[in-house]
Structure formats: structure tokens, C-alpha cells
Amino acid sequence: MEIVGSRRKNSSFSSADDAAVVSTIPLYRSAPELEVRLDDFELYAIHRLRVLKGISDGLSRGKKPNEMENLTKELWKVNMRNSEASEVANKDIISHYVLRLVYCREEELRKWFLSMETTLFRYRFQLETTDAQRALLKEFDLPYKAVSNAEYESVKEKLNQVVRSIGQPLSSADTIYYKVPFEQVPDLVATRRVFIFKGYAYVAMNQVVSLLMTQYRSHLSKALVLTNRKWTSMILEQEKDRLTPIVEALSTSYLGPDYSQPREYGEISLKDIDQVAKSSFPLCMRHLFEKLREDHHLKHGGRMQLGLFLKGVGLKLDDALAFWKAEFSRKVGAERFDKEYAYGIRHNYGKEGKRTDYTPYSCQKIISSTPGVGDHHGCPYRHFSEENLRAALDKMGVGNRAVQDVMDKVRNRHYQLACTLTFEAIHGASCDAGINHPNQYYNDSKNILESRVRATRMVDTLMYAEV
Amino acid sequence: MVREEVGEIGRDDMLIDGVETEQKPNNEVPDGFNVNYLKIYYGKFFPYADMHKWMSYGNDGKHPGCDQSYFGRREFSFTLDNDIYLRFQSFNNVPELENAIKEKCPFKIDIGPVYSVDPAKRHAYAQSGDNVFTPVERELIFDIDISDYDDVRFCCSGADVCPECWPLMTVTIKVIDTALRDDFGFNHILWVYSGRRGVHCWVCDGKARRMTNEQRAAITEYLHVHKGNENSLKKVTLVGQSLHPFLGRSYTEVLKDFFEEKFISSQNLFSDEERYEKILEMIPDESITSELRGKWQDNKRVRDDINVVRWSHVKHLLQSSKHKGQGIRKCVEEIVFTFTYPRLDLEVSKHMNHLLKAPFCIHPKTGRVCVPIDPKHCEEFDPSGVPTLSKLLEELNMGALGTGGEDELDNTSLGESIRYFRTSFLQPLLKSCKEEIESSYTAKIQQSKNSLNW
């Protein structure tokens, strides 16, 4: 990569003296020719999975970039260290390739893995020394040049405006910028962290990691598709007694249940639904439920979020149709409901279109959604104003003290922890695992309530016995 | 994802419009919409050849670099009279397209992406196991619907529009169009009236059509400012010491003047307590809001427009040196953005597989033709002045239709729209498509030569 900086002294990273510096982050461009013990094969993969899972949890709790950096550092240190330096590098590479096998086999798995590995790469890159970063940059061999002095001067004002708009002091502003097609840095475009002119984004030196992430991601994405092909055409059969069982076990053990099939409480009937909504729905679903009862309508995002949740809770398709129809027909008439909305509900149950049995949304998905004007879906802890959230919690019967605790978590953007505290306040019981999924909230709530019912029955029986 | 299949359901005219009161005026030619008239429209007016030229993007030529299967892999979808959806329709040429439309007489025609294989034969490919049926190209599209502005307009709600609120759409076109051209470097952009209460935008440059979903999402987020939903007080929060150049430009060149000179007066934003409280809610400083309330309470009669006067009070207090806090000063901009900044339907733009209504359809509720809007003259566009089905039929009866050929619609009220579509959109687009096809063909030849030369 050739660099022509606007300030000479900053632009030395193609000089000879840093040739000796090597980054510790491998780019995983070719599979390792290493012998691996079967135990290590599995163990390494589990260790790396812990790192990725930790990153995933951090993201869904809305951790800020600097918190994520520390988290990644910590996760890596705890899970990936080894007494021998050469083993560390091997473990890194082996675990990555094992997980490729594990996560290549389905679109959803690929997406998750891709996203977590890219995030991991990002923070590992940022934790490297400047020299190591430059060495890695060179390894990528990007085809972009830094903007010339003259061009820099011509857009300087705009570039500085961007720096101010993202809340950085001007003094620390980079003067080396790369001009790249905006398509290469979607994350910087989406957050308006770059100046864009006629299709080109001006990427500051300290933002270069975004460019690398794009490259890393697209390489890994292609590799996963190829690995999948190889898996189905060869490995699956060849390794059916050795690797296949390990790989298959790995993929299910850590993603948690998807709640697509109601397991614990087989069914829920329409006559109980209001009662159950009050006692066991998390706030996000309760709010949608109440809005639906009130307005007799929900926009698409709300219908999806609530509809799939109810499916996970155990509402049968016929009941679901009756439930939505009862509300919607009051607003748009039964005929219009049948024509325009029934399809979507059958679709959720896999009875239309692609006939996929869709899974209820997880907290992570709900937190990262972007409800707009007229929408009621999303995570209340994230998307409500403080005032509205307080009112909603109050209505749920959360006491003053607990509301304070919840608001603290919200301010620190720990939305799932806020929901966990709400759960604990309402149920008067602890929830050690934390809330990760609205359907988990529901199941945990049901567990507690049912066990109480059983307990009182026990007491009743005992009392009868005494009499 | 789910969206692929439920794409158009629950959007656009599927939204709840309250109770629709259909009024039939007692004219000889009934206003609005009628299947028989629609048949005539599809027989005499609909520009099949132009649509085919557009959707072929130069691939219908004789050049060896042309991809002859291109148009045939495009999904069309018809909504019929009885609300039956026909998805995954595909056509290989103009006559096929024309015959199908004339035969089925769809109330609505939607255009989807170009798929890897002919969408009509997708099941045959599905049997091969590998997921080969996938969208490969799609215009970058935007859908802006004025019913999403219901919390900031007081003249109408739902599906209604009037000359007081339509300018919100004009503002949208200006802001988005400029960003697409100046920031993202796109050139081939078509704006279309959606027939009732909004506008659609088609970005047709080659590089726009080939973007991934992630890249589409990036542009959409870049253009998206409203973060609040129904349960948050503030709909727009601006951070940082200054606005990003794009937002800054939108503010100074479009939004500010529109808000101050037109919108506050036309919507009477400060005329009564209920309305101005909505604005005061956005100011997070009690001392300022109570000072303003005090000032406005006695309802003094003023000679000037009360809205303008009160807005100047707000600006004066917020920007005065007394309040140094960054958050307070930005309130002025936040208020203006909340009321006037474009509100996009995000999901439509983020995914390749969303459907969007084709230009030159007739809106079944209004009978209006979905005509293109020239962004250079968008403030002149008047939704109540667009050609309607009944007007076109009247013209037909009066013999305005030419005798066939390219310019047969010239003397009808659709003529101007067709002319604009051809000369300002289609011709430059096809020219650049041709160049692109030629240059990529040359590059391919060169590459294969090089690989032979080793």
C-alpha cells in the first residue's frame, strides 16, 4: 500500500524499520497444516466460542466501543492464553478453523459467526501497537492511496466539521485521509463518521480499521460459503464417526434455545391470554399487547415482534388468527383483515411464502431494532423516554426503589439487566441467568408462578391432612 | 427473511386510513377508478416499451456484452381486482409484458429485484438443493409517506394531503436528491408520485443496483435522523459540536427557510397552547420553557404572525448567551429537524427484495397516475393536478390520442410526464448503461487475452 501523507513525518509506515514488526493477528487466509489432538480440537473451539459469546453479550447490552475493547481484551486473555507462545498462535488459528466448520452450515449461524469474528478482529486490531497495526495494514495490501496535500486542503473544512460532529477534539484530528468508495466503509457511512463526496468517503487514519473489517469480513464470508460446500460434499460423510458429532454438538451447545417451539407450557388459550399477559409477559410484549387492545392495530414491526412471541408462547395458528382478527377487524373490518393481514400471520407460522417456521425475536434483535414514528415495538428500556418508562414500570407494579435500580441500568445502557431487575422485582425471585429472550422471560415467569401454585396446593393438602 | 414474502403487505396503501368515505361526484364521467377504464388505460396509455427499455438497462441491445436474460429475471407482481397477489411474474420481452398486463388488468403493478434465475421458475431451481434463487440486483429505493408525518401536521391526517402539508414531500425530495447526487455520486434518479400521499425514489445507477443489503442499510442510516418512536419525547437528537456536513447543508439550504418562512405559519405551530406545548416539550430546560410560557400566556394580540413572533422568542432564548450548554443551543436545530426532516420507510430501502409500485400505475383510490416528478422543479408539483384516469379517457374520447408511434401520447395530459421520463431519465441512463456494458466487455476480453498470454 502506498501512502502519500499530507504531513511527511506521520506517513512513514512503508519505511524499512518496521519491517521487523509483525502483528499477532492472523488473517486466516489459508488453513493450517497442523496436527491437532481431537481433545484440543474441541477444547480450543469451546474457548473461542466463549470469547465470541462474550462479545455478543457485550454488544447486546449496548456496551460502548471502549468498554468493548476492554471486554475483548479480558475475554481473550482468560480464554485463549497458553503457557507457550507458539501454542497461543496455533490455538488462535485452530479454534478459528474449527468454528468455521461449526458455523458454516446455516445462514443464521454464518451470520452470527461472521459478525462476531469481525467484531473480535476489530478490537484485537485496536489493541495492537501502532507498528503492529501498520504491519497488518501492509499485509492487507489495500489498493487505496492517501489524499494529496492539495486535495486535503480543499476539503479540510468539511473534514474538520465531521471531526467536530462526532465529538472529537480538532487537535487530535488526523491529517492523513484515504479516499475510498463509500461502499467499502458501510459502518462509517451509517453513523455519519466520514465526509462523503461524489461517492467517495474520506477515511481518517484512525478509522482505517473499518476498511480492514470490510475486507476481513468479505474474505471470511466467502470462505464460509466454500467451507459449507466442502462440508456437505465431503467432510460430513468422511468424518461421520470422528469430527461430525463434535461439530454438530458444538453448534447447538452455545447459541441457547431459539424458542421456536413452545416446550415447557405446551399451549395457551385465548381466554387466558389477558391474564397471562399481565403476569408473565416482559414489558416489550406487554406494551405491544396493550397497544393492540387499545388501538386495534399495530404496524408491521409490532405485529412481527408480538406475533412471533405469541407463537413461541404456544398460541396455535387458529387461535392466533382469531386473536389478531378480533382486534384488527374493529379498526379495518374483518374482510380487510382476511385480505391483508391474515397472510402475514400464517406466514409467521410457516404456512405461506417460503414456509419457514420463523423464530421469535431475541432481546438482542429487539434492542437493535429501530422503531420509527407510529411504532410500538423495540425494547422499552432502550426506546422509551425516561418518563414513559417510569410510568410503564409503575403500572407493572415495580416498586420505587426497584424503579431507581432499573433506571440506573438503563442509563448505563444495560437494557437486558434492566429487564432482569424488573423481572426480579415483579416475581420477588432472583433470575441469575439474566434475561436474553422474551420467551425465556415468559418461561421463567411461568416456572415461578406454577411452582407457587403447586406450593400452595401442597400447603392446602397438608392442612386438610391435619384436620 | 420474512420481509421478502410479506413485502408489500401492510405498507403504502395497505396502511390503515381510517374509514374511507368514497364520494362519487355526479359527473357524466365518474371520477376516480373503474376496471373498464383501467383496461382502456392499459390498452392505450401505459408505456410498455419505455418500461422495458428502463428495466433492461441496455441489455436488450445487440452488443455481445449484453445479458439477454436480464429483463426476464426481474420480478413483477400484480395485485388484481379481488386483492389477489400474483408474485414472481416474469417476462422475456415487451409483448409478453404487455399481454400479461392487458389480460390481468392489475390494480397495482409492483417491481421487485432481478434474481439469479427466472423467478417464475424458482421452484424448479429450488429442487437442486443449493439456494440459487436469490436477488442479485435491485435499484436503491425510497418510499416516503406523508402519513408518517401525522404528529407534525395539523391540516390533515392519514391518507389526506393538502397544499399545506404536501411541501413536506418537496423538502424530502430536495434533501434526499441532493445527498444522493452530491454525497453518493449517483446520477440516474427517478422520483415518482405514489398516486396519493407520498413519493417513491428509484436510484438506478449500476453501482446502486449492485449494492449489498449492508451498503443499502448504510445509506439509509446516513439519511435517517429520527430516532424517537411513539414512546420517546424527543424524535431527533443531534450530538456533537457541529452538524455533519450533510445535515448542516440540509439545514441551511432547505429545512431552516422552509420551517421559518412557510411551515410554522401554515401549520400554526404556535397558535395555541396544545400546539406550542409540543415544541416546549423538546426543550430540556425548565427555566426557558417557563419563561416562554409566561410570555405567551396573556395571549397579547400582535400585529405580525403570532407563529413567527413566538418562534423568534424561542430562538432568541435558546441562542442567547445566558445558556451556554451545547444541548440547549442545538434545540433550535432539533425542533426544525423534528418537523421537517425527511422520514423514510427504512425497511424498504435496506433490503433488495422489497417491492415498489411501478411508475405510471393508477392509484385505485384516487384514480391518479403515478407520474414522475422532476426534482429540479419539485416545488411546482401539485398532486391534485396530475393526470387522472377519467381525464385521460375524456381526452381519448375527444380524439387527443395520436396515430401510434413514439409520440402518440403527446397531446394528452400524460404527454409531458412521458417526455420527461424519456429525455431526462431514460436517455441519459441508457447512454451510461451502454458505456458500462462496452467497457466491462472490453475488460473481460482483455482479461481472457492476458490469461492466454502466459
Side-chain angles (χ1 to χ4, degrees), chain A residues 6 35 87 133 154 195 215 227 255 274 318 345 351 434 438 465:
Chain A
S6 50
E35 292 205 357
E87 233 351 78
Q133 287 184 350
S154 72
F195 173 59
Q215 299 283 325
T227 312
L255 266 184
D274 286 274
D318 286 341
I345 292 159
K351 303 293 179 207

Side-chain angles (χ1 to χ4, degrees), chain A residues 161 164-165 183 189 192 194 196 198-199 287 297 332 336 339-341 347 354 374 383-385 388, chain B residues 2 4-5 9 14-16 83 148 182-184 215 218 222 224 229-231 241-244 343:
Chain A
Q161 207 179 328
R164 282 199 307 273
S165 78
E183 292 96 327
V189 173
R192 285 192 291 268
V194 279
I196 307 175
K198 292 285 178 203
H287 177 68
H297 183 253
V332 301
R336 231 179 120 186
K339 275 198 253 174
E340 293 168 20
Y341 297 98
H347 193 271
K354 270 202 294 200
H383 297 112
F384 276 27
S385 70
N388 285 341
Chain B
V2 190
E4 178 185 26
E5 296 286 346
I9 293 176
M14 304 302 170
L15 280 178
I16 311 308
D83 271 310
D148 284 333
D182 292 358
D183 299 2
F184 293 103
Q215 289 159 345
Y222 179 86
H224 172 60
N229 60 4
E230 286 306 297
N231 299 295
Q241 302 160 35
S242 69
L243 292 175
H244 183 277
R343 301 177 174 200

Side-chain angles (χ1 to χ4, degrees), chain B residues 109-137:
Chain B
I109 304 169
D110 283 294
I111 299 177
V114 177
Y115 284 94
S116 48
V117 297
D118 180 350
K121 302 193 184 105
R122 66 196 181 285
H123 293 307
Y125 290 100
Q127 256 122 53
S128 69
D130 239 353
N131 198 9
V132 287
F133 178 65
T134 174
V136 287
E137 274 194 28

